[in-house]
Amino acid sequence: DEINIQFAAGDYMETKYAIFDSYGTVVLQRDLGIQTGTVLQTVDVSNLQTGLYLLKVFKGNSNVESKTFMKQ
């Protein structure tokens, strides 16, 4: 199972994403390094248990995007 993340990174910003379970625990995190422009990332979520998750994308120290998704 995979999900796609797409966001505008701006100009040369440190970017990363984190996935949280319904208890607020980080279950997957990846540092994408310095990015610019539009970022498209495919994330393998096949190892996650069935349930509701929150994906957060960070630029620098700021949370710029949040999205919930259900893993079946």
Side-chain angles (χ1 to χ4, degrees):
D1 298 332
E2 296 177 335
I3 60 170
N4 292 313
I5 304 169
Q6 182 174 349
F7 61 95
D11 292 330
Y12 301 101
M13 298 288 294
E14 283 281 342
T15 57
K16 66 180 178 180
Y17 66 82
I19 297 177
F20 299 83
D21 65 13
S22 58
Y23 299 104
T25 303
V26 175
V27 293
L28 183 63
Q29 183 172 318
R30 176 158 299 148
D31 185 353
L32 302 175
I34 296 175
Q35 300 288 327
T36 186
T38 301
V39 176
L40 178 59
Q41 184 78 29
T42 300
V43 181
D44 180 6
V45 295
S46 59
N47 290 333
L48 298 180
Q49 299 292 323
T50 300
L52 184 64
Y53 292 88
L54 174 65
L55 165 74
K56 289 187 177 185
V57 176
F58 300 89
K59 290 192 315 188
N61 292 326
S62 300
N63 176 19
V64 294
E65 185 174 328
S66 296
K67 179 189 291 188
T68 58
F69 68 95
M70 179 67 76
K71 169 72 167 58
Q72 300 279 333

